[in-house]
């Protein structure tokens, strides 16, 4: 044995003699010693088994993509035995009425309220007064995206590349409003204007209840076998009425508000499951009555949806940089607000419009493809957009302006608090003078 190795072994023996490893755990002052000894003697104890690591990764993946995974499972289950969801579960009651009304009755802007509490009132006022930007976002989301998809889908029909059902489904998807949760979260991660995101998400979804069916009638017209008077009546009962009831309960019934606040995670869980159940019954109906699309058509539609999403995001970014040069935060928010589509409102809307149509599953499929794609692309570009916003604000000198405004606002708040405390203390001081 070499002298150097003997020296290291002796040092290790001495360390173990002075600080022996105990099974009952370390005492005060010896936390680090036993850790060193344990890591030196038995490093195998720190290795996590492979199956535990795999399970942990799967749980993390499922937590992030639970809706997509459940939708895929629902479609496969519907394909395996369509009569269950098409007939035996009474979808005309459970899916089209009970599930939809629960979604929108519990579809209160809880997340908007919580997010809004972290945003100053001045920022909301500024977001509301940006009429030009708000108009641009909603016109692009409803008009430009749907117009581009309409022209492209009609071309694909002309060359017989897509069946009628999937081409119409792409138009229906493009006519829907912005995704509420996703646009707010992605805007925040990209360093965008959160107040503008919250305002446009709420306004766009309220507008979409009436504008989306009108756009579908405009684009599909004679090809859509729809009684729109009946559709608006159903939407009023299934969508508008539950939202109104939910808001009344939230604002005028404190116990109901506290109940929802306490169990809000369970409400979110049930909302997601209701959406999955609607998707399941929709595809059961489609599979039970047949369709005009093949597996190859579906994969082609997936690729086309990806190309269209990339194109409209690129076009939106180009126009935002050209029209709002000195507003990088608005550019970041507009990128998501102009191109995102809601699945939470979209699926019930499609089901209400095409309730009796056997191809309703294929009309819904393009939206179910667009939804995860917009999340994937939006998450991928968010860090780059955030870096751009930071650099652009430094060039424009907006960081210093924002810091000065925040400091001024804090000084005004402190001055108001000081004035309030002085006003509260003055009567006490007067009493002491009058009554020594």
């Amino acid at each position: 044995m070499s002298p150097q190795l003997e020296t290291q072994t002796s040092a290790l023996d001495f360390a173990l003699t002075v600080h022996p490893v105990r099974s009952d755990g370390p005492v005060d002052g010896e936390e680090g010693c036993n850790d060193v000894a344990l890591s030196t003697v038995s490093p195998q104890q720190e290795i996590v088994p492979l199956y535990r690591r795999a399970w942990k990764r799967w749980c993390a993946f499922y937590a992030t993509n639970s809706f997509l995974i459940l939708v895929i499972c629902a479609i496969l289950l519907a394909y395996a035995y369509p009569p269950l969801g098409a007939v035996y579960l009474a979808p005309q009651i459970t899916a089209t009425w009970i599930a939809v009304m629960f979604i929108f009755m519990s579809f209160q802007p809880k997340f908007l309220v919580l997010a809004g509490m972290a945003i100053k009132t001045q920022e909301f006022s500024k977001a509301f007064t940006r009429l030009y930007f708000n108009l641009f976002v909603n016109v692009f989301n409803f008009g430009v995206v749907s117009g581009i998809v309409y022209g492209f889908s009609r071309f694909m029909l002309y060359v017989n590349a897509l069946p009628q059902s999937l081409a119409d489904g792409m138009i229906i998807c493009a006519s829907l409003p912005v995704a509420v949760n996703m646009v707010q979260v992605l805007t925040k991660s990209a360093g965008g204007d959160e107040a503008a995101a919250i305002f446009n998400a709420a306004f766009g979804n309220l507008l979409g209840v009436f504008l989306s069916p009108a756009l579908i009638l405009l684009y599909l017209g004679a090809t859509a076998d729809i009684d729109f008077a009946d559709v608006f009546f159903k939407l009023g009962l299934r969508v508008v009425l539950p939202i109104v009831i939910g808001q009344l309960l939230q604002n005028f019934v404190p116990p109901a508000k506290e109940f929802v606040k306490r169990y809000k995670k369970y409400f979110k869980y049930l909302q997601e499951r209701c959406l999955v159940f609607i998707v399941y019954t929709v595809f059961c109906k489609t599979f039970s009555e047949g369709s005009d699309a093949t597996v190859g058509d579906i994969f082609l539609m997936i690729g086309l949806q990806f190309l269209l999403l990339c194109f409209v995001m690129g076009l939106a970014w180009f126009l935002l940089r050209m029209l709002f040069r000195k507003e990088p935060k608005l550019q970041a928010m507009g990128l998501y607000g102009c191109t995102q589509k809601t699945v939470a409102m979209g699926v019930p809307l499609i089901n209400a419009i095409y309730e009796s149509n056997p191809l309703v599953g294929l009309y819904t499929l393009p939206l179910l493809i667009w939804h995860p794609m917009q999340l994937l692309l939006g998450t991928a570009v968010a860090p780059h957009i955030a870096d751009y916003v930071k650099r652009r604000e430094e060039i424009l000198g907006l960081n210093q302006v924002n810091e000065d405004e925040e400091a001024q606002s804090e000084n005004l708040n402190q001055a108001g608090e000081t004035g309030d405390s002085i006003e509260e203390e003055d009567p006490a001081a007067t009493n002491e003078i009058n009554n020594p």
Side-chain angles (χ1 to χ4, degrees):
M1 183 180 297
S2 63
Q4 185 178 2
L5 183 58
E6 290 180 356
T7 303
Q8 293 177 353
T9 305
S10 301
L12 179 60
D13 294 338
F14 176 77
L16 293 175
T17 302
V18 176
H19 302 288
V21 180
R22 294 188 298 271
S23 59
D24 57 350
V27 297
D28 294 340
E30 296 185 358
E31 291 86 348
C33 300
N34 283 345
D35 293 341
V36 174
L38 283 170
S39 62
T40 306
V41 175
S42 54
Q44 293 81 3
Q45 296 179 1
E46 299 179 0
I47 299 177
V48 180
L50 179 61
Y51 71 91
R52 289 187 179 179
R53 285 182 288 168
W55 175 253
K56 186 176 181 180
R57 290 180 180 179
W58 162 251
C59 291
F61 178 79
Y62 178 80
T64 306
N65 306 278
S66 60
F67 179 75
L68 177 61
I69 295 172
L70 291 174
V71 164
I72 294 174
C73 294
I75 294 175
L76 294 176
L77 185 61
Y79 179 78
Y81 189 63
L84 178 61
V87 179
Y88 300 128
L89 294 179
Q92 65 275 12
I93 298 175
T94 56
T96 59
W97 285 98
I98 297 176
V100 172
M101 293 186 74
F102 175 80
I103 288 172
F104 287 102
M105 184 173 289
S106 56
F107 184 68
Q108 304 170 38
K110 300 183 291 294
F111 58 93
L112 296 179
V113 173
L114 294 175
M117 290 174 65
I119 299 174
K120 297 178 181 179
T121 305
Q122 296 89 339
E123 295 179 2
F124 273 121
S125 301
K126 187 184 294 185
F128 180 76
T129 56
R130 287 168 173 156
L131 299 179
Y132 181 47
F133 174 77
N134 298 332
L135 180 65
F136 173 83
V137 169
N138 286 280
V139 168
F140 193 99
N141 187 277
F142 284 105
V144 177
V145 174
S146 62
I148 292 173
V149 174
Y150 173 78
F152 183 76
S153 64
R154 297 307 97 176
F155 172 76
M156 298 304 292
L157 275 179
Y158 179 77
V159 299
N160 294 322
L162 278 179
Q164 184 78 40
S165 58
L166 290 179
D168 290 349
M170 293 171 66
I171 297 173
I172 295 167
C173 170
S175 302
L176 295 172
V178 64
V180 182
N181 278 314
M182 195 178 296
V183 72
Q184 197 268 332
V185 172
L186 290 176
T187 297
K188 184 176 181 180
S189 63
D193 193 317
E194 296 180 55
I198 294 172
F199 173 80
N200 282 280
F203 178 75
N205 274 259
L206 292 176
L207 184 63
V209 174
F210 307 99
L211 186 57
S212 293
L215 285 173
I216 293 170
L217 174 64
L218 174 66
Y219 288 127
L220 301 183
T223 63
D225 185 16
I226 307 171
D227 182 1
F228 271 85
D230 184 56
V231 167
F232 281 112
F233 177 72
K234 290 178 181 178
L235 290 177
L237 291 179
R238 299 177 188 177
V239 177
V240 179
L241 181 61
I243 291 177
V244 172
I245 293 175
Q247 290 302 300
L248 291 175
L249 290 174
Q250 183 185 27
N251 291 289
F252 298 102
V253 184
K257 181 179 180 180
E258 291 298 324
F259 179 81
V260 173
K261 183 178 180 181
R262 179 180 300 177
Y263 299 103
K264 62 181 180 180
K265 64 178 181 180
Y266 299 105
F267 277 95
K268 182 179 179 181
Y269 177 87
L270 289 175
Q271 281 181 321
E272 184 178 275
R273 276 21 179 208
C274 286
L275 276 175
V276 173
F277 178 71
I278 294 173
V279 172
Y280 168 70
T281 58
V282 158
F283 276 91
C284 282
K285 183 185 299 183
T286 298
F287 288 137
S288 63
E289 301 189 23
S291 67
D292 60 346
T294 64
V295 176
D297 295 332
I298 292 174
F299 278 104
L300 176 61
M301 182 272 298
I302 293 173
L304 294 177
Q305 287 286 82
F306 178 77
L307 293 177
L308 284 170
L309 180 57
C310 292
F311 177 77
V312 295
M313 287 183 71
L315 178 62
W317 184 246
F318 172 78
L319 293 177
L320 286 164
R321 293 194 62 180
M322 183 175 65
L323 298 176
F324 305 96
R325 293 178 178 273
K326 297 183 179 181
E327 298 284 353
K329 286 184 174 292
L330 292 184
Q331 295 172 19
M333 183 271 140
L335 175 64
Y336 299 114
C338 289
T339 57
Q340 302 269 309
K341 297 298 177 180
T342 175
V343 71
M345 182 174 284
V347 171
L349 277 174
I350 296 171
N351 196 33
I353 295 172
Y354 295 98
E355 181 179 353
S356 59
N357 195 314
L359 298 178
V360 62
L362 295 179
Y363 294 154
T364 310
L365 189 58
L367 174 61
L368 300 178
I369 299 301
W370 190 283
H371 178 75
M373 282 185 178
Q374 68 186 9
L375 176 61
L376 178 65
L377 290 177
T379 305
V381 302
H384 304 285
I385 299 298
D387 292 339
Y388 163 80
V389 171
K390 185 178 180 180
R391 292 196 308 270
R392 187 65 177 164
E393 285 191 331
E394 291 176 354
I395 294 174
L396 297 173
L398 295 178
N399 283 336
Q400 186 62 39
V401 174
N402 293 334
E403 291 176 0
D404 293 342
E405 290 179 352
E406 291 180 0
Q408 184 178 2
S409 177
E410 290 178 359
N411 291 334
L412 291 174
N413 292 334
Q414 291 177 359
E417 293 174 358
T418 304
D420 294 339
S421 62
I422 292 173
E423 291 177 359
E424 293 175 357
E425 292 174 4
D426 283 343
T430 305
N431 289 335
E432 289 179 3
I433 295 174
N434 296 333
N435 302 296

